[in-house]
Amino acid sequence: MTATTTRRRRRPAAITETAARTRAAATPQPPTEPAAPDDAAAAASSDGRAAEPTDETPVYAASGAFRPHVRGFGFVDLSDAADIDSCFVPPPLAEGLLEGDTVAVSFTIDDEGRATASEASVLARSRTTLFGVVERGESGLVLRVDPHLGHGRWAVKGRPREGQAVRVTVTGDRQATIEQRWADPTSADALLERIRVRHLIPTDFPTEVLAEVGQRGARRGRRGRPPQPSRRDLRDLITVTIDAPGSRDLDDALSVWPADPDGGLRVAVHIADVATQVWPGTALDAEARRAATSVYLPGWSRPMVPPALSEDALSLLPGVDRDAITVELRIAPGGEVTAADVYATRIRSDARLSYETAADVLCGRGAADVPEEVLTALRWLRTAAARLGVQRMRRGGIEARRVEPELTVRVVDGRAQQVEAEPSNPAHLLVERFMVAANEAVAAWLIARGLPGVFRVHPPPDPEAAPALETFCAAAGFHPGFGATLSPLGLAALASQLELAADETAAAVWDVLLGYLGRSQYTPDAGPHFGLASEGYLHFTSPIRRYADLTVHRIIHAFLAGERDAAAYPDPDELARLCAHINTATGVAGRAEGQMRKALWLVTLARQAAQDGPATVTGRVSGLNAKGLFVTLDASRVTGFLPARALPGRGWAPTPDALALADRAGHRIGFGEAVEAFIDSADPESGQLQLRPVRRD
């Protein structure tokens, strides 16, 4: 960062990322809803231009990557400024900048250390493809760019028509040419393409990758294939897969032996051996590493590896022989895993069951088309899963169960439709318990042998979490009694209360609780997983869908094949770079799924309002800041924002404990409280849901 000439400037009242983060940290926020920053107008004069200089203030220069905000401003993450992480870019200067662009900025720093740009210019464009909607401007038809990608209007060629959604190729400075168009910007196909362009998610695989997949049979004898371990033949062991009816990428299966004289049960968790087909140094591996994860969006998915592998050659389909890596667990009557072994196998699935069919068996309803030997295996698996559940209860943490929404949104005949949500059932919990146990066992297996790995670590919350969360829960009607520190057992006890309540307030508490706990991360350093109350954890059970799991499989392969030289394994620096990449890629995939799902919801809510008039919704307060309330709707769990200025009364501001807004007359609205509101606007482009209160006379 360099200082340039001194100019006379008025100190800007900038809205900075630092300020937004400070407000967000003051109170728990919904995990998918960022705290609303102050109005962008605070950083600009009334005519929308940057403020005129009045004081003697140093002007600095630096560069970095641009991040737009849907409300018209943005930030440049500075790569060459020693003391400033980011610089606020007010709306006039943000026009024409795109997400990820390398941008040079001149900026001033106010007395609180906040940087605001006075000039901004593009050094390098980050993307060649954009998505937006054609609208009429002052001089004709122009492109309104997806607000998640940038702001301002672009000249567009290719016979544009007003109101169309279009994917365009950038051809010059704020100039683009149409490549594909959709008559209805709110159609599911248009929304899907918007998300794919926004997050740079490809639809196809590179030609060289598909060529390698087509030649996989011919290359088996070629040099370069990693050493292969010897395999145990378990094809005579009854084996079942349990998954969603439409799933084709089946990467896990289960087997069980009846209890031994001591009551011990042996369960085999079989995982598709992807490492036999996806080799390091190939185009296939490079593409899998780039993607890092399969992407699942409503109505569409993009697998990490091509369907010829993910849905066929590697999938544990019934009646076909498959290579697998198997984790054998011995589970004592009290639920302890007393022994675990990891080895390569050859298996054959005897039955493919849906979650619903498996649940019928587990709940004693039976299933006429399930063979008797499979029924017997499921019943033993039920016993083993129940034992694991007892052990999970002893140590605490959170299982996959939670209070579920009444409705979900799906793509039906190309349109977003609200449908009744399918609740999870005992089969989901059974599979989840075995997958967690297998992942823990493999983590312990690697650590015991001094092997590297890609571990999944979830650090405990900060020391102030317990009292803050205690106060928040009390405001919503729950009293967890955490004590001085938040423990996995205390967390489990609260989760049990929420599941028993199973109402809208409990659902709102769940959403805030999960957001408050934060996300786990991939790391080469083994460590505890607080949310699961696990001493060591990783991802091993989905190598078709996750590159982290595939990396773990390759390490297991090398050890089972007799490799003892450290050079045969990835070094710590290599794993650190890989983990950073996977964390970024999985974050992008998660945001894409969340944004697509919310966009579909907003389309249905806007459609209802257009057809039936102003729509009234109910929800619970799940977050707040100085500008208003975040309200999570009861039926859908979609979160909207209710501005404080729309509330009756005056002077609304956060209370000292930051758990409510209060006006000058002493009225309060806080966490967990029920809210009835109208939908003011539902915008699938920006993902913003704006609410206004229903006023009662």
Side-chain angles (χ1 to χ4, degrees), residues 40 75 81 106 122 151 272 313 335 431 461 487 496 500 553 556 570 611 614 691:
F75 297 93
S106 298
V122 177
H151 310 293
V431 172
S487 69
S496 179
L500 287 173
H553 275 239
I556 294 171
Q611 293 173 350
L691 305 173

Side-chain angles (χ1 to χ4, degrees), residues 45 69 104 192 271 302 354 429 594:
S45 60
H69 189 281
L192 175 60
I271 306 300
R302 204 277 187 178
S354 68
L429 186 58

Side-chain angles (χ1 to χ4, degrees), residues 164 223 236 338 423 541 664 696:
Q164 286 183 331
R223 291 183 180 180
D236 291 336
T338 58
T541 54
R664 293 171 185 167
R696 302 295 184 188

